[in-house]
């Protein structure tokens, strides 16, 4: 079946450095991707999304890159801070549902744990 | 801001008990979802609903049922709780996509950590 996975389960970076979290997806028909951040004991929090008609999208300190040729997604965090320590998930849309339209379902990767050393 | 709330943060139940997990969203979203999250397994979809009184099975519906009587509320029911249902349960909601293949962002509640003894 289709799946979303992550190259690295853990990532440790120094405060101030840039972080790059990678994700591979297998459904070439997926056209919407999201990155979530989940801190310990909390629900996932939306960070940034990107649609398949884009290659790059930037947020305040985050950038998401989409390479459809190799089905690869990455999240770049600039000047990583201790508050960025969390598990990061990528997700792609799926098309479950019986009425032919999108029902808003997502397939999630298992997550990468980012640890920021002061 | 979108707000998704769950009735309990922590819950402890005994094997065989009937358990209700409630989720409420305040953004008039059409879609609502229940996931469970376990170490090493990530988020797995249990059930979802794309309209009032509508429901569809996700990846792991066995042992669960759901109810969507009102648009803002989506309940997950464990008819007879078992120890393998000990997990973090997360509710999410989203608006309906703007096209056939576009999915709007899901917003999550804080989660309910359920322990079944």
């Amino acid at each position: 079946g289709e799946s979303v996975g992550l190259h690295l389960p853990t990532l440790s970076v120094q405060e101030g450095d840039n972080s790059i979290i990678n994700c591979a997806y297998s459904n070439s028909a997926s056209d919407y991707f999201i990155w979530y951040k989940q801190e310990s004991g909390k629900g996932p929090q939306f960070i940034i999304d990107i649609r398949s008609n884009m290659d790059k999208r930037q947020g305040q300190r985050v950038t998401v890159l989409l390479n459809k040729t190799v089905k690869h997604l990455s999240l770049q965090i600039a000047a990583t801070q201790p508050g960025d320590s969390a598990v990061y998930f990528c997700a792609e849309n799926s098309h479950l549902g019986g009425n032919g339209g999108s029902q808003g379902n997502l397939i999630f990767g298992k997550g990468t744990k980012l640890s920021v050393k002061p | 801001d979108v707000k998704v709330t769950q009735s309990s943060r922590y819950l402890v139940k005994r094997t065989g008990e009937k358990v209700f997990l409630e989720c409420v969203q305040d953004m008039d979203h059409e879609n609502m979802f229940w996931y469970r999250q376990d170490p090493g397994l990530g988020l797995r979809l249990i059930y979802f609903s794309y309209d009032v009184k509508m429901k569809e099975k996700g990846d792991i519906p066995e042992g669960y049922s759901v109810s969507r009587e009102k648009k803002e509320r989506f309940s997950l029911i464990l008819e007879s709780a078992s120890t393998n249902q000990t997990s973090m349960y997360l509710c999410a909601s989203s608006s309906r996509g703007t096209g056939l293949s576009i999915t709007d962002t899901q917003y999550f509640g804080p989660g309910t950590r359920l322990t079944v003894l």
Side-chain angles (χ1 to χ4, degrees), chain B residues 37 47 84 110:
Chain B
Q37 185 177 36
Y47 265 99
N84 64 11

Side-chain angles (χ1 to χ4, degrees), chain B residues 67-86:
Chain B
S67 173
R68 184 112 181 257
E69 295 297 318
K70 293 185 178 181
K71 191 175 186 180
E72 68 271 18
R73 188 179 297 269
F74 192 35
S75 303
L76 179 69
I77 303 153
L78 287 65
E79 294 290 342
S80 177
S82 62
T83 54
N84 64 11
Q85 291 178 310
T86 292

